[in-house]
């Protein structure tokens, strides 16, 4: 496959390149598995980035995650996860957690720190999950660059009567992108209280995030950066007279 050829072109058969090739195979198999599980409307088996359709310089980042800036030693936090404040929301919280687990955004793996989560009301009959990397101290040791977001006023400066516009709502925006491999052990979650089975000996159910979680301070920067890097492909050939871009 062409990403294997790319690895050999970059560095021959060195151990580093061999590891990169194995990582790419694992990522490629994961893409195929998730694509097979998808239907017309939804990534039922979880979303993924089909990295071979991206520019080669982004390939490794799509499966290893964008490299985060770590300011100091990563913390340790083992505070047990609390149950929802409103016990009537317990079933809904379990349903939300089951969804990210079934889609393998939260998986088995080494855990060195626990982040937390809680629910907030969404409409009359629903909840929204808030995943919190601040209380554990993880956000405090990470640095995230500042970047501008357009307002309606700044956007309209570039709009005239010939402008084409569209409203794109990307589902699971952050969860499309892998979390930095070095941070994954520090993005653990305690799911003991939400397990369907009582564990012997007081054992705990620890999982960890593999994707950029919403409450991580650098998630917004990395996901927007990677998405903008793909923009030339999404817009197509600018020399094509039939292309509005």
């Amino acid at each position: 496959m062409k990403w294997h050829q790319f690895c050999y072109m970059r560095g021959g058969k060195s151990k580093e390149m061999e590891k990169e090739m194995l990582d790419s195979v694992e990522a490629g198999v994961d893409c195929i598995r998730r694509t097979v599980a998808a239907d017309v409307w939804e990534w039922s088996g979880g979303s993924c980035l089909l990295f071979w359709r991206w520019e080669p310089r982004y390939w490794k980042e799509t499966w290893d995650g964008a490299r985060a800036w770590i300011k100091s030693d990563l913390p340790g936090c083992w505070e047990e996860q609390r149950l929802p404040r409103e016990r009537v929301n317990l079933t809904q919280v379990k349903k939300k957690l089951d969804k990210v687990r079934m889609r393998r955004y939260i998986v088995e793996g080494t855990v060195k720190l626990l982040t937390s989560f809680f629910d907030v009301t969404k409409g009359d009959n629903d909840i929204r999950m808030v995943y919190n990397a601040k209380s554990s101290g993880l956000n405090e040791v990470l640095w995230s660059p500042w970047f501008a977001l357009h307002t309606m006023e700044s956007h309209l400066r570039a709009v005239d009567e010939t402008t084409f516009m569209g409203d794109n709502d990307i589902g699971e925006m952050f969860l499309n992108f892998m979390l930095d491999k070095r941070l994954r052990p520090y993005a653990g979650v305690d799911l003991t209280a939400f397990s369907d089975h009582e564990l012997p000996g007081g054992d705990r159910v620890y999982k960890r995030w593999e994707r950029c979680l919403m409450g991580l301070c650098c998630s917004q920067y990395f996901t927007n950066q990677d998405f903008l890097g793909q923009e030339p492909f999404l817009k197509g050939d600018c020399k094509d007279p039939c292309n509005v871009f």
Side-chain angles (χ1 to χ4, degrees):
M1 302 183 76
K2 71 176 183 179
W3 67 83
H4 284 181
Q5 297 170 356
F6 174 73
C7 290
Y8 277 104
M9 286 166 48
R10 285 178 57 192
K13 297 184 180 181
S14 68
K15 288 185 178 180
E16 183 180 349
M17 287 300 105
E18 287 182 4
K19 182 180 182 306
E20 190 169 322
M21 286 179 60
L22 290 174
D23 288 344
S24 74
V25 170
E26 183 179 347
V29 170
D30 187 53
C31 288
I32 295 170
R33 184 187 298 118
R34 292 176 185 276
T35 303
V36 169
D39 56 36
V40 175
W41 301 109
E42 190 173 9
W43 289 85
S44 304
S47 62
C48 61
L49 301 178
L50 305 182
F51 60 89
W52 55 86
R53 303 187 69 182
W54 291 49
E55 292 184 27
R57 62 193 177 99
Y58 287 107
W59 288 353
K60 192 173 189 303
E61 188 171 301
T62 61
W63 63 69
D64 277 352
R67 192 171 179 83
W69 291 278
I70 301 174
K71 298 185 292 186
S72 58
D73 293 339
L74 289 162
C77 176
W78 296 98
E79 184 176 346
E80 294 181 5
Q81 176 63 44
R82 300 175 183 177
L83 286 169
R85 186 174 301 175
E86 301 291 337
R87 294 304 174 92
V88 294
N89 292 343
L90 179 60
T91 301
Q92 288 179 298
V93 170
K94 289 182 67 174
K95 184 178 179 180
K96 300 281 186 180
L97 292 172
D98 286 343
K99 183 176 181 179
V100 292
R101 290 177 66 182
M102 292 299 293
R103 295 188 175 189
R104 300 191 304 281
Y105 301 149
I106 292 178
V107 298
E108 300 275 357
T110 301
V111 174
K112 297 181 179 180
L113 178 145
L114 292 174
T115 60
S116 62
F117 53 84
F118 56 91
D119 62 284
V120 295
T121 302
K122 178 183 177 183
D124 295 329
N125 302 306
D126 199 4
I127 62 169
R128 185 188 305 277
M129 293 299 296
V130 178
Y131 300 106
N132 181 14
K134 182 178 180 180
S135 59
S136 65
L138 181 58
N139 278 347
E140 295 298 318
V141 301
L142 300 177
W143 178 75
S144 179
W146 178 90
F147 66 100
L149 285 175
H150 285 296
T151 64
M152 181 62 71
E153 290 75 16
S154 65
H155 178 67
L156 289 175
R157 295 173 194 163
V159 172
D160 61 24
E161 67 277 6
T162 65
T163 301
F164 287 83
M165 292 189 292
D167 182 13
N168 296 318
D169 185 4
I170 301 175
E172 301 182 341
M173 173 61 178
F174 286 8
L175 298 178
N176 288 297
F177 298 87
M178 301 301 292
L179 182 62
D180 184 345
K181 270 189 170 182
R182 299 172 302 157
L183 293 184
R184 294 175 196 175
Y186 297 90
V189 284
D190 178 11
L191 300 179
T192 309
F194 304 91
S195 174
D196 293 328
H197 307 286
E198 186 174 342
L199 299 176
D203 289 345
R204 311 294 298 178
V205 179
Y206 293 153
K207 308 287 185 180
R208 72 181 196 185
W209 285 98
E210 296 279 286
R211 305 298 181 98
C212 288
L213 58 152
M214 186 70 182
L216 192 67
C217 64
C218 51
S219 288
Q220 188 173 30
Y221 176 81
F222 288 135
T223 54
N224 278 277
Q225 175 184 248
D226 286 348
F227 181 74
L228 290 175
Q230 186 66 350
E231 193 172 18
F233 170 80
L234 296 174
K235 288 186 173 181
D237 184 1
C238 62
K239 297 180 181 178
D240 184 349
C242 297
N243 185 354
V244 297
F245 297 110

